[in-house]
């Protein structure tokens, strides 16, 4: 089943500008529409439509960073017929508009976290133990809490560690959450996250994690593995890793949920 899903994802990648439907994807898999949707969700954790949308926005990020194409041209190239719809979805998923993303070279302000979930809710912490392959000499590790398996927008809470280890993510509201961890080999001289040097990052996902009014601290174990084709794209804006680590070391309050330990 994994090989079939990988084939469909490759078909998506080759046709981002086309109006692909779930029926088209199911035909590529040679499954019925409903069987295909179930299999795709079981393998990737998200629906085929959401995966395709994330791939389109991820490609739009690359085009904004690497080409002089206008926002309108990029929106059409990644399959949107309306520039307004593209701009709205890009802004919601990446955390800034396409124009701002290009102007800031993709970097997000470190002080911004998503706080719309906080009003009127109790909050708790998530203790994360991040494990990495023994043969990997990893650089900094980003850990963030998101409401979905596709990491997009701004994290509910997050942390940047200088290496794999343990940390606590604070002020997580009641609800169901997913914890994403991502790193890159230290030899790749990682300066931003997600990595922009073409190397496959190491990723790990924990969850779903349930936070309720009686929860004070929840524990999550995450093992980092090399990102695969079936992993949903990471849609967040870039984070300046070195600045983030400097902020953590100096104790400044920002996007960080605390300093990794």
């Amino acid at each position: 089943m994994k090989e079939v899903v990988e084939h469909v994802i490759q078909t998506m990648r080759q046709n981002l500008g086309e109006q692909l439907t779930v029926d088209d994807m199911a035909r590529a898999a040679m499954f019925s529409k409903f069987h295909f949707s179930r299999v795709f969700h079981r393998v990737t954790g998200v629906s085929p439509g959401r995966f395709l949308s994330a791939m389109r926005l991820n490609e739009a990020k690359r085009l904004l960073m690497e080409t002089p194409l206008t926002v309108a041209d990029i929106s059409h190239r990644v399959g949107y017929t309306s520039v307004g719809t593209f701009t709205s979805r890009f802004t919601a998923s990446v955390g800034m508009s396409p124009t701002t993303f290009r102007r800031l070279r993709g970097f997000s302000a470190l002080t911004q976290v998503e706080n719309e979930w906080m009003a009127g809710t109790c909050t708790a912490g998530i203790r994360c133990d991040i494990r990495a392959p023994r043969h990997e000499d990893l650089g900094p590790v980003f850990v963030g809490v998101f409401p979905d398996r596709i990491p997009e927008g701004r994290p509910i809470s997050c942390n940047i560690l200088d290496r794999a280890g343990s940390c606590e993510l604070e002020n997580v509201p009641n609800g169901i959450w997913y914890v994403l961890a991502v790193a890159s080999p230290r030899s790749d001289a990682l300066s931003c996250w997600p990595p922009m040097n073409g190397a496959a990052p190491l990723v790990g996902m924990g969850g779903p994690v349930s936070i309720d009014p009686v929860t004070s601290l929840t524990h999550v174990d995450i093992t980092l593995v090399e990102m695969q084709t079936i992993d949903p794209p990471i849609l967040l804006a870039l984070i300046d890793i070195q600045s983030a680590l400097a902020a953590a070391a100096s104790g400044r309050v920002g996007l960080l949920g605390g300093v990794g330990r």
Side-chain angles (χ1 to χ4, degrees):
M1 293 301 181
K2 178 183 174 183
E3 291 77 11
V4 172
V5 171
E6 288 176 332
H7 170 68
V8 174
I9 291 173
Q10 184 61 27
T11 301
M12 292 180 185
R13 183 172 291 112
Q14 294 169 349
N15 297 276
L16 291 177
E18 305 300 322
Q19 297 305 305
L20 285 176
T21 66
V22 176
D23 288 313
D24 296 327
M25 300 177 208
R27 279 193 292 272
M30 295 187 289
F31 287 162
S32 72
K33 175 180 177 179
F34 299 106
H35 181 56
F36 166 71
S37 295
R38 287 193 297 269
V39 168
F40 193 96
H41 194 284
R42 185 164 65 245
V43 171
T44 67
V46 299
S47 71
R50 288 215 61 210
F51 200 103
L52 175 59
S53 178
M55 289 184 69
R56 285 173 166 158
L57 294 175
N58 201 45
E59 174 65 4
K61 287 171 59 181
R62 186 190 70 80
L63 293 171
L64 285 165
M65 293 282 285
E66 298 179 5
T67 76
L69 292 171
T70 67
V71 171
D73 287 340
I74 290 172
S75 70
H76 292 306
R77 183 168 291 199
V78 298
Y80 285 85
T81 57
S82 165
V83 179
T85 299
F86 166 72
T87 299
S88 296
R89 291 184 180 174
F90 187 97
T91 302
S93 294
V94 179
M96 62 181 71
S97 71
T99 303
T100 302
F101 183 87
R102 170 172 275 168
R103 177 172 57 83
L104 298 179
R105 298 295 300 161
F107 283 92
S108 173
L110 288 173
T111 55
Q112 294 179 332
V113 291
E114 186 57 74
N115 57 17
E116 67 178 59
W117 307 92
M118 307 296 283
T121 67
C122 299
T123 60
I126 299 177
R127 175 77 178 185
C128 301
D129 287 322
I130 313 297
R131 296 185 176 87
R134 292 184 179 181
H135 65 279
E136 292 282 2
D137 180 21
L138 295 182
V141 181
F142 173 92
V143 190
V145 179
F146 299 91
D148 198 279
R149 287 189 62 88
I150 294 182
E152 59 185 346
R154 297 170 185 157
I156 305 305
S157 178
C158 63
N159 202 326
I160 297 177
L161 294 72
D162 61 356
R163 64 180 66 85
S166 299
C167 70
E168 186 171 321
L169 300 166
E170 303 172 344
N171 299 320
V172 180
N174 297 340
I176 305 297
W177 309 103
Y178 293 85
V179 182
L180 170 78
V182 62
S184 185
R186 193 177 298 274
S187 59
D188 289 334
L190 180 66
S191 62
C192 65
W193 182 92
M196 294 287 290
N197 53 14
L202 276 72
V203 297
M205 179 74 75
V209 177
S210 179
I211 302 295
D212 56 50
V214 300
T215 301
S216 59
L217 185 66
T218 298
H219 182 264
V220 175
D221 286 316
I222 297 177
T223 299
L224 296 171
V225 296
E226 186 171 306
M227 192 171 187
Q228 302 179 51
T229 302
I230 60 173
D231 292 318
I234 298 168
L235 297 180
L236 308 185
L238 299 174
I239 296 170
D240 185 334
I241 290 290
Q242 302 307 323
S243 296
L245 290 174
S250 66
R252 298 198 302 274
V253 177
L255 176 146
L256 304 177
V259 180
R261 293 176 290 277

